[in-house]
Amino acid sequence: MSRLPRFHFVQQRGPWIAQCADPFCMTHLGTDTLPVMRDFGDGQWTWRNPVLFAANPDQFGRAWWNDQGQERWRELLLSGAPVLVRHAIPPTPDAPTGSVGQSIGIFRTSDVEIGEGHMTLKLVERLAEVT
C-alpha cells in the first residue's frame, strides 16, 4: 500500500479557503488553493463508501453555503478542486459558527450540487494528508 503525500496548508481566518506553499501541491493535487469544509459530527457527513455530505440549512439558521463573500469557495468546489475536510467543534454562545479542529484529509469530490436550499457532494478518493 502506498503512503499518501502530506502537505501543510494555511487557512486565513474568515474565508474557508486554504493555501499550500509546497510546490508538490500543484503537481500532486493540480492546485495549491483548496476549499475547506468542516465536520461537526452532526450527521451532515456520512462516512461510508462513498462518503456523502448533505448540508443542513438549519445548522446556522440559514443556507450557510450561499453566504456573501464565499463566491470563491463555491467556485472552487464547483470547479472540481479537491476539498480539505476538518473536524469542527459545534457552535457555542462564544463561537456562534463553531471552530475548527484537526484536519481529516484532502479528497477528490464528485456530484457537487449547490442550490438555494440544498448542498450535496461525494468524497470519492483520499488524495493527501494534512500536517
Side-chain angles (χ1 to χ4, degrees), residues 2 26 39 43 72 84 86 100 113 116-117 125:
S2 65
M26 188 62 97
D39 181 359
R72 178 76 176 129
L84 190 162
R86 298 180 73 174
V100 295
E113 289 186 27
E116 281 301 313
E125 180 184 8

Side-chain angles (χ1 to χ4, degrees), residues 45-111:
W45 290 93
T46 304
W47 291 96
R48 295 191 191 114
N49 190 7
V51 176
L52 303 174
F53 174 81
N56 178 356
D58 297 326
Q59 182 181 45
F60 297 113
R62 66 189 191 286
W64 52 265
W65 52 90
N66 285 324
D67 284 352
Q68 281 190 325
Q70 296 296 355
E71 293 86 3
R72 178 76 176 129
W73 179 83
R74 287 189 300 272
E75 178 184 295
L76 287 166
L77 275 175
L78 291 169
S79 75
V83 64
L84 190 162
V85 182
R86 298 180 73 174
H87 288 288
I89 299 165
T92 65
D94 293 333
T97 60
S99 62
V100 295
Q102 188 174 23
S103 295
I104 297 171
I106 298 170
F107 299 86
R108 181 180 330 279
T109 63
S110 73
D111 302 330

Side-chain angles (χ1 to χ4, degrees), residues 9-10 17-23 25-26 29-34 72:
F9 278 83
V10 176
I17 297 173
Q19 292 290 136
C20 180
D22 186 326
C25 282
M26 188 62 97
L29 301 174
T31 183
D32 59 1
T33 306
L34 301 181
R72 178 76 176 129

